[in-house]
mmCIF file of all heavy atoms in Angstrom:
data_model
loop_
_atom_site.group_PDB
_atom_site.id
_atom_site.type_symbol
_atom_site.label_atom_id
_atom_site.label_comp_id
_atom_site.label_asym_id
_atom_site.label_seq_id
_atom_site.Cartn_x
_atom_site.Cartn_y
_atom_site.Cartn_z
ATOM 1 N N VAL K 1 -5.603 -6.800 2.404
ATOM 2 C CA VAL K 1 -6.506 -6.670 1.259
ATOM 3 C C VAL K 1 -7.898 -7.157 1.635
ATOM 4 O O VAL K 1 -8.910 -6.517 1.325
ATOM 5 C CB VAL K 1 -5.959 -7.458 0.051
ATOM 6 C CG1 VAL K 1 -6.907 -7.344 -1.144
ATOM 7 C CG2 VAL K 1 -4.563 -6.958 -0.335
ATOM 8 N N LYS K 2 -7.959 -8.285 2.337
ATOM 9 C CA LYS K 2 -9.262 -8.833 2.739
ATOM 10 C C LYS K 2 -9.880 -8.030 3.889
ATOM 11 O O LYS K 2 -11.111 -7.950 3.997
ATOM 12 C CB LYS K 2 -9.108 -10.298 3.126
ATOM 13 C CG LYS K 2 -8.699 -11.208 1.969
ATOM 14 C CD LYS K 2 -9.748 -11.251 0.855
ATOM 15 C CE LYS K 2 -9.491 -10.307 -0.282
ATOM 16 N NZ LYS K 2 -10.512 -10.406 -1.364
ATOM 17 N N ALA K 3 -9.052 -7.424 4.716
ATOM 18 C CA ALA K 3 -9.582 -6.542 5.762
ATOM 19 C C ALA K 3 -10.216 -5.305 5.121
ATOM 20 O O ALA K 3 -11.272 -4.835 5.568
ATOM 21 C CB ALA K 3 -8.476 -6.138 6.722
ATOM 22 N N LEU K 4 -9.560 -4.775 4.077
ATOM 23 C CA LEU K 4 -10.144 -3.652 3.358
ATOM 24 C C LEU K 4 -11.490 -4.039 2.769
ATOM 25 O O LEU K 4 -12.477 -3.300 2.899
ATOM 26 C CB LEU K 4 -9.199 -3.191 2.246
ATOM 27 C CG LEU K 4 -9.777 -2.115 1.309
ATOM 28 C CD1 LEU K 4 -9.983 -0.803 2.060
ATOM 29 C CD2 LEU K 4 -8.876 -1.914 0.089
ATOM 30 N N GLU K 5 -11.540 -5.182 2.108
ATOM 31 C CA GLU K 5 -12.811 -5.644 1.533
ATOM 32 C C GLU K 5 -13.892 -5.746 2.604
ATOM 33 O O GLU K 5 -15.033 -5.322 2.409
ATOM 34 C CB GLU K 5 -12.621 -7.002 0.863
ATOM 35 C CG GLU K 5 -13.918 -7.569 0.295
ATOM 36 C CD GLU K 5 -13.769 -8.983 -0.246
ATOM 37 O OE1 GLU K 5 -12.731 -9.281 -0.873
ATOM 38 O OE2 GLU K 5 -14.695 -9.795 -0.038
ATOM 39 N N THR K 6 -13.519 -6.301 3.741
ATOM 40 C CA THR K 6 -14.474 -6.456 4.841
ATOM 41 C C THR K 6 -15.065 -5.115 5.247
ATOM 42 O O THR K 6 -16.288 -4.967 5.393
ATOM 43 C CB THR K 6 -13.794 -7.111 6.054
ATOM 44 O OG1 THR K 6 -13.333 -8.422 5.701
ATOM 45 C CG2 THR K 6 -14.749 -7.212 7.235
ATOM 46 N N MET K 7 -14.208 -4.119 5.417
ATOM 47 C CA MET K 7 -14.677 -2.814 5.865
ATOM 48 C C MET K 7 -15.463 -2.077 4.786
ATOM 49 O O MET K 7 -16.460 -1.402 5.075
ATOM 50 C CB MET K 7 -13.483 -1.972 6.351
ATOM 51 C CG MET K 7 -12.825 -2.523 7.608
ATOM 52 S SD MET K 7 -11.435 -1.509 8.208
ATOM 53 C CE MET K 7 -10.164 -1.907 6.995
ATOM 54 N N VAL K 8 -15.026 -2.206 3.527
ATOM 55 C CA VAL K 8 -15.733 -1.539 2.433
ATOM 56 C C VAL K 8 -17.121 -2.151 2.242
ATOM 57 O O VAL K 8 -18.132 -1.438 2.130
ATOM 58 C CB VAL K 8 -14.924 -1.628 1.124
ATOM 59 C CG1 VAL K 8 -15.762 -1.178 -0.070
ATOM 60 C CG2 VAL K 8 -13.656 -0.786 1.220
ATOM 61 N N GLN K 9 -17.189 -3.467 2.216
ATOM 62 C CA GLN K 9 -18.454 -4.146 1.962
ATOM 63 C C GLN K 9 -19.451 -3.999 3.109
ATOM 64 O O GLN K 9 -20.656 -4.169 2.914
ATOM 65 C CB GLN K 9 -18.211 -5.629 1.665
ATOM 66 C CG GLN K 9 -17.494 -5.884 0.349
ATOM 67 C CD GLN K 9 -18.285 -5.372 -0.854
ATOM 68 O OE1 GLN K 9 -19.499 -5.507 -0.918
ATOM 69 N NE2 GLN K 9 -17.586 -4.762 -1.806
ATOM 70 N N THR K 10 -18.971 -3.697 4.294
ATOM 71 C CA THR K 10 -19.868 -3.497 5.446
ATOM 72 C C THR K 10 -20.034 -2.014 5.778
ATOM 73 O O THR K 10 -20.564 -1.674 6.837
ATOM 74 C CB THR K 10 -19.335 -4.250 6.680
ATOM 75 O OG1 THR K 10 -17.998 -3.802 6.972
ATOM 76 C CG2 THR K 10 -19.325 -5.755 6.451
ATOM 77 N N ASN K 11 -19.558 -1.152 4.841
ATOM 78 C CA ASN K 11 -19.694 0.302 4.994
ATOM 79 C C ASN K 11 -19.186 0.787 6.362
ATOM 80 O O ASN K 11 -19.841 1.569 7.044
ATOM 81 C CB ASN K 11 -21.160 0.725 4.811
ATOM 82 C CG ASN K 11 -21.681 0.413 3.419
ATOM 83 O OD1 ASN K 11 -21.054 0.766 2.424
ATOM 84 N ND2 ASN K 11 -22.824 -0.268 3.347
ATOM 85 N N SER K 12 -18.022 0.307 6.743
ATOM 86 C CA SER K 12 -17.506 0.623 8.081
ATOM 87 C C SER K 12 -16.037 1.019 8.079
ATOM 88 O O SER K 12 -15.360 0.926 9.096
ATOM 89 C CB SER K 12 -17.702 -0.584 9.004
ATOM 90 O OG SER K 12 -17.056 -1.737 8.474
ATOM 91 N N LEU K 13 -15.531 1.476 6.938
ATOM 92 C CA LEU K 13 -14.125 1.878 6.863
ATOM 93 C C LEU K 13 -13.930 3.190 7.629
ATOM 94 O O LEU K 13 -14.494 4.217 7.257
ATOM 95 C CB LEU K 13 -13.702 2.052 5.403
ATOM 96 C CG LEU K 13 -12.231 2.397 5.151
ATOM 97 C CD1 LEU K 13 -11.323 1.294 5.634
ATOM 98 C CD2 LEU K 13 -11.999 2.663 3.664
ATOM 99 N N PRO K 14 -13.141 3.175 8.701
ATOM 100 C CA PRO K 14 -13.008 4.379 9.542
ATOM 101 C C PRO K 14 -11.868 5.306 9.153
ATOM 102 O O PRO K 14 -11.760 6.416 9.679
ATOM 103 C CB PRO K 14 -12.768 3.796 10.934
ATOM 104 C CG PRO K 14 -12.072 2.505 10.673
ATOM 105 C CD PRO K 14 -12.522 2.011 9.331
ATOM 106 N N CYS K 15 -10.976 4.873 8.267
ATOM 107 C CA CYS K 15 -9.808 5.661 7.870
ATOM 108 C C CYS K 15 -9.642 5.608 6.360
ATOM 109 O O CYS K 15 -10.176 4.722 5.689
ATOM 110 C CB CYS K 15 -8.536 5.118 8.505
ATOM 111 S SG CYS K 15 -8.486 5.099 10.296
ATOM 112 N N ASN K 16 -8.878 6.531 5.839
ATOM 113 C CA ASN K 16 -8.403 6.408 4.467
ATOM 114 C C ASN K 16 -7.283 5.367 4.465
ATOM 115 O O ASN K 16 -6.487 5.303 5.409
ATOM 116 C CB ASN K 16 -7.872 7.744 3.956
ATOM 117 C CG ASN K 16 -8.896 8.856 4.074
ATOM 118 O OD1 ASN K 16 -10.018 8.722 3.603
ATOM 119 N ND2 ASN K 16 -8.512 9.948 4.722
ATOM 120 N N VAL K 17 -7.218 4.568 3.408
ATOM 121 C CA VAL K 17 -6.210 3.505 3.352
ATOM 122 C C VAL K 17 -5.462 3.568 2.025
ATOM 123 O O VAL K 17 -6.068 3.725 0.964
ATOM 124 C CB VAL K 17 -6.846 2.114 3.514
ATOM 125 C CG1 VAL K 17 -5.751 1.043 3.559
ATOM 126 C CG2 VAL K 17 -7.692 2.033 4.770
ATOM 127 N N LYS K 18 -4.141 3.464 2.104
ATOM 128 C CA LYS K 18 -3.302 3.370 0.917
ATOM 129 C C LYS K 18 -2.482 2.079 0.998
ATOM 130 O O LYS K 18 -2.160 1.615 2.091
ATOM 131 C CB LYS K 18 -2.372 4.575 0.806
ATOM 132 C CG LYS K 18 -3.099 5.907 0.610
ATOM 133 C CD LYS K 18 -2.126 7.073 0.516
ATOM 134 C CE LYS K 18 -2.862 8.383 0.261
ATOM 135 N NZ LYS K 18 -1.928 9.543 0.153
ATOM 136 N N PHE K 19 -2.157 1.535 -0.154
ATOM 137 C CA PHE K 19 -1.341 0.322 -0.220
ATOM 138 C C PHE K 19 -0.108 0.582 -1.073
ATOM 139 O O PHE K 19 -0.199 1.182 -2.153
ATOM 140 C CB PHE K 19 -2.113 -0.832 -0.857
ATOM 141 C CG PHE K 19 -3.144 -1.462 0.031
ATOM 142 C CD1 PHE K 19 -4.393 -0.873 0.186
ATOM 143 C CD2 PHE K 19 -2.885 -2.653 0.702
ATOM 144 C CE1 PHE K 19 -5.359 -1.453 0.996
ATOM 145 C CE2 PHE K 19 -3.841 -3.240 1.515
ATOM 146 C CZ PHE K 19 -5.088 -2.636 1.667
ATOM 147 N N LEU K 20 1.032 0.121 -0.603
ATOM 148 C CA LEU K 20 2.270 0.128 -1.377
ATOM 149 C C LEU K 20 2.837 -1.287 -1.298
ATOM 150 O O LEU K 20 3.404 -1.685 -0.282
ATOM 151 C CB LEU K 20 3.266 1.138 -0.815
ATOM 152 C CG LEU K 20 4.653 1.175 -1.469
ATOM 153 C CD1 LEU K 20 4.541 1.498 -2.951
ATOM 154 C CD2 LEU K 20 5.555 2.181 -0.781
ATOM 155 N N ILE K 21 2.640 -2.048 -2.365
ATOM 156 C CA ILE K 21 3.082 -3.449 -2.393
ATOM 157 C C ILE K 21 4.188 -3.563 -3.444
ATOM 158 O O ILE K 21 3.940 -3.443 -4.643
ATOM 159 C CB ILE K 21 1.916 -4.404 -2.745
ATOM 160 C CG1 ILE K 21 0.670 -4.086 -1.885
ATOM 161 C CG2 ILE K 21 2.352 -5.846 -2.561
ATOM 162 C CD1 ILE K 21 0.873 -4.250 -0.401
ATOM 163 N N GLU K 22 5.409 -3.778 -3.005
ATOM 164 C CA GLU K 22 6.551 -3.783 -3.922
ATOM 165 C C GLU K 22 6.988 -5.197 -4.301
ATOM 166 O O GLU K 22 6.545 -6.188 -3.707
ATOM 167 C CB GLU K 22 7.726 -3.014 -3.314
ATOM 168 C CG GLU K 22 8.378 -3.700 -2.136
ATOM 169 C CD GLU K 22 9.845 -3.302 -1.978
ATOM 170 O OE1 GLU K 22 10.549 -3.151 -2.999
ATOM 171 O OE2 GLU K 22 10.288 -3.163 -0.819
ATOM 172 N N GLY K 23 7.900 -5.269 -5.272
ATOM 173 C CA GLY K 23 8.359 -6.560 -5.757
ATOM 174 C C GLY K 23 9.851 -6.769 -5.622
ATOM 175 O O GLY K 23 10.423 -7.611 -6.334
ATOM 176 N N GLU K 24 10.498 -6.046 -4.703
ATOM 177 C CA GLU K 24 11.952 -6.173 -4.585
ATOM 178 C C GLU K 24 12.448 -6.232 -3.151
ATOM 179 O O GLU K 24 13.645 -6.063 -2.910
ATOM 180 C CB GLU K 24 12.639 -5.009 -5.311
ATOM 181 C CG GLU K 24 12.382 -4.977 -6.809
ATOM 182 C CD GLU K 24 13.157 -3.881 -7.510
ATOM 183 O OE1 GLU K 24 13.426 -2.827 -6.902
ATOM 184 O OE2 GLU K 24 13.503 -4.087 -8.687
ATOM 185 N N GLU K 25 11.578 -6.490 -2.189
ATOM 186 C CA GLU K 25 12.012 -6.506 -0.789
ATOM 187 C C GLU K 25 13.062 -7.575 -0.547
ATOM 188 O O GLU K 25 14.021 -7.363 0.209
ATOM 189 C CB GLU K 25 10.807 -6.714 0.131
ATOM 190 C CG GLU K 25 11.073 -6.388 1.586
ATOM 191 C CD GLU K 25 11.665 -7.533 2.402
ATOM 192 O OE1 GLU K 25 11.641 -8.679 1.904
ATOM 193 O OE2 GLU K 25 12.139 -7.300 3.525
ATOM 194 N N GLU K 26 12.904 -8.718 -1.171
ATOM 195 C CA GLU K 26 13.822 -9.832 -0.927
ATOM 196 C C GLU K 26 15.188 -9.636 -1.565
ATOM 197 O O GLU K 26 16.096 -10.430 -1.342
ATOM 198 C CB GLU K 26 13.203 -11.145 -1.420
ATOM 199 C CG GLU K 26 11.906 -11.553 -0.711
ATOM 200 C CD GLU K 26 12.089 -11.906 0.761
ATOM 201 O OE1 GLU K 26 13.198 -11.738 1.292
ATOM 202 O OE2 GLU K 26 11.109 -12.363 1.379
ATOM 203 N N VAL K 27 15.346 -8.582 -2.364
ATOM 204 C CA VAL K 27 16.660 -8.269 -2.932
ATOM 205 C C VAL K 27 17.131 -6.893 -2.467
ATOM 206 O O VAL K 27 17.997 -6.272 -3.088
ATOM 207 C CB VAL K 27 16.647 -8.351 -4.475
ATOM 208 C CG1 VAL K 27 16.480 -9.783 -4.930
ATOM 209 C CG2 VAL K 27 15.558 -7.459 -5.072
ATOM 210 N N GLY K 28 16.557 -6.405 -1.360
ATOM 211 C CA GLY K 28 17.038 -5.171 -0.765
ATOM 212 C C GLY K 28 16.335 -3.906 -1.200
ATOM 213 O O GLY K 28 16.814 -2.799 -0.918
ATOM 214 N N SER K 29 15.205 -4.022 -1.918
ATOM 215 C CA SER K 29 14.413 -2.853 -2.355
ATOM 216 C C SER K 29 15.275 -1.797 -3.052
ATOM 217 O O SER K 29 15.241 -0.617 -2.696
ATOM 218 C CB SER K 29 13.701 -2.223 -1.153
ATOM 219 O OG SER K 29 12.884 -3.158 -0.493
ATOM 220 N N PRO K 30 16.050 -2.169 -4.077
ATOM 221 C CA PRO K 30 16.988 -1.220 -4.687
ATOM 222 C C PRO K 30 16.335 -0.031 -5.377
ATOM 223 O O PRO K 30 16.980 1.014 -5.550
ATOM 224 C CB PRO K 30 17.754 -2.082 -5.694
ATOM 225 C CG PRO K 30 16.833 -3.218 -6.001
ATOM 226 C CD PRO K 30 16.126 -3.497 -4.719
ATOM 227 N N ASN K 31 15.068 -0.167 -5.794
ATOM 228 C CA ASN K 31 14.426 0.917 -6.529
ATOM 229 C C ASN K 31 13.320 1.619 -5.747
ATOM 230 O O ASN K 31 12.696 2.550 -6.260
ATOM 231 C CB ASN K 31 13.858 0.379 -7.849
ATOM 232 C CG ASN K 31 14.943 -0.092 -8.794
ATOM 233 O OD1 ASN K 31 15.741 0.692 -9.289
ATOM 234 N ND2 ASN K 31 15.005 -1.395 -9.019
ATOM 235 N N LEU K 32 13.089 1.183 -4.522
ATOM 236 C CA LEU K 32 11.998 1.761 -3.749
ATOM 237 C C LEU K 32 12.306 3.197 -3.323
ATOM 238 O O LEU K 32 11.413 4.054 -3.317
ATOM 239 C CB LEU K 32 11.694 0.902 -2.518
ATOM 240 C CG LEU K 32 10.419 1.286 -1.761
ATOM 241 C CD1 LEU K 32 9.190 1.118 -2.650
ATOM 242 C CD2 LEU K 32 10.267 0.445 -0.498
ATOM 243 N N ALA K 33 13.541 3.477 -2.959
ATOM 244 C CA ALA K 33 13.893 4.824 -2.517
ATOM 245 C C ALA K 33 13.597 5.850 -3.601
ATOM 246 O O ALA K 33 13.041 6.928 -3.333
ATOM 247 C CB ALA K 33 15.366 4.883 -2.120
ATOM 248 N N THR K 34 13.939 5.530 -4.835
ATOM 249 C CA THR K 34 13.679 6.435 -5.959
ATOM 250 C C THR K 34 12.179 6.684 -6.097
ATOM 251 O O THR K 34 11.739 7.826 -6.297
ATOM 252 C CB THR K 34 14.231 5.835 -7.260
ATOM 253 O OG1 THR K 34 15.633 5.633 -7.117
ATOM 254 C CG2 THR K 34 13.968 6.755 -8.435
ATOM 255 N N PHE K 35 11.390 5.617 -5.965
ATOM 256 C CA PHE K 35 9.933 5.751 -6.085
ATOM 257 C C PHE K 35 9.365 6.604 -4.958
ATOM 258 O O PHE K 35 8.540 7.495 -5.194
ATOM 259 C CB PHE K 35 9.287 4.367 -6.073
ATOM 260 C CG PHE K 35 7.783 4.409 -6.136
ATOM 261 C CD1 PHE K 35 7.127 4.572 -7.346
ATOM 262 C CD2 PHE K 35 7.025 4.300 -4.977
ATOM 263 C CE1 PHE K 35 5.735 4.629 -7.407
ATOM 264 C CE2 PHE K 35 5.638 4.353 -5.026
ATOM 265 C CZ PHE K 35 4.992 4.525 -6.241
ATOM 266 N N VAL K 36 9.783 6.324 -3.750
ATOM 267 C CA VAL K 36 9.253 7.056 -2.599
ATOM 268 C C VAL K 36 9.606 8.543 -2.691
ATOM 269 O O VAL K 36 8.754 9.420 -2.477
ATOM 270 C CB VAL K 36 9.779 6.452 -1.278
ATOM 271 C CG1 VAL K 36 9.399 7.335 -0.087
ATOM 272 C CG2 VAL K 36 9.218 5.045 -1.081
ATOM 273 N N LYS K 37 10.854 8.853 -3.029
ATOM 274 C CA LYS K 37 11.280 10.249 -3.130
ATOM 275 C C LYS K 37 10.506 11.007 -4.205
ATOM 276 O O LYS K 37 10.238 12.203 -4.070
ATOM 277 C CB LYS K 37 12.780 10.307 -3.417
ATOM 278 C CG LYS K 37 13.649 9.859 -2.260
ATOM 279 C CD LYS K 37 15.120 9.815 -2.652
ATOM 280 C CE LYS K 37 15.975 9.293 -1.500
ATOM 281 N NZ LYS K 37 17.406 9.180 -1.883
ATOM 282 N N ALA K 38 10.141 10.296 -5.277
ATOM 283 C CA ALA K 38 9.436 10.935 -6.393
ATOM 284 C C ALA K 38 7.926 11.003 -6.173
ATOM 285 O O ALA K 38 7.219 11.665 -6.949
ATOM 286 C CB ALA K 38 9.736 10.183 -7.690
ATOM 287 N N ASN K 39 7.424 10.327 -5.131
ATOM 288 C CA ASN K 39 5.972 10.235 -4.942
ATOM 289 C C ASN K 39 5.546 10.530 -3.509
ATOM 290 O O ASN K 39 4.652 9.876 -2.965
ATOM 291 C CB ASN K 39 5.478 8.843 -5.363
ATOM 292 C CG ASN K 39 5.615 8.593 -6.848
ATOM 293 O OD1 ASN K 39 4.787 9.015 -7.643
ATOM 294 N ND2 ASN K 39 6.683 7.908 -7.224
ATOM 295 N N LYS K 40 6.178 11.516 -2.901
ATOM 296 C CA LYS K 40 5.863 11.829 -1.505
ATOM 297 C C LYS K 40 4.417 12.266 -1.322
ATOM 298 O O LYS K 40 3.774 11.901 -0.331
ATOM 299 C CB LYS K 40 6.813 12.913 -0.990
ATOM 300 C CG LYS K 40 8.253 12.447 -0.843
ATOM 301 C CD LYS K 40 9.122 13.542 -0.246
ATOM 302 C CE LYS K 40 10.569 13.088 -0.114
ATOM 303 N NZ LYS K 40 11.424 14.144 0.481
ATOM 304 N N ALA K 41 3.892 13.032 -2.250
ATOM 305 C CA ALA K 41 2.499 13.481 -2.138
ATOM 306 C C ALA K 41 1.544 12.299 -2.270
ATOM 307 O O ALA K 41 0.551 12.200 -1.547
ATOM 308 C CB ALA K 41 2.202 14.529 -3.203
#
């Protein structure tokens, strides 16, 4: 997140960036597969 800020604020972002920050990794990501399959685009 802070690396993104650094690049945006210095007008030097060389790539498009997307973030996927989930809230269930520590319990096995039970709902992530459904989300990913429904949001491939």
Side-chain angles (χ1 to χ4, degrees):
V1 179
K2 295 297 96 178
L4 173 67
E5 178 186 320
T6 298
M7 293 181 286
V8 169
Q9 292 299 320
T10 57
N11 297 309
S12 58
L13 183 63
C15 300
N16 305 307
V17 184
K18 296 180 178 180
F19 285 81
L20 176 59
I21 312 298
E22 70 153 322
E24 297 184 330
E25 195 274 347
E26 298 294 6
V27 291
S29 303
N31 294 294
L32 190 62
T34 301
F35 178 82
V36 172
K37 291 175 183 177
N39 293 279
K40 291 184 181 181

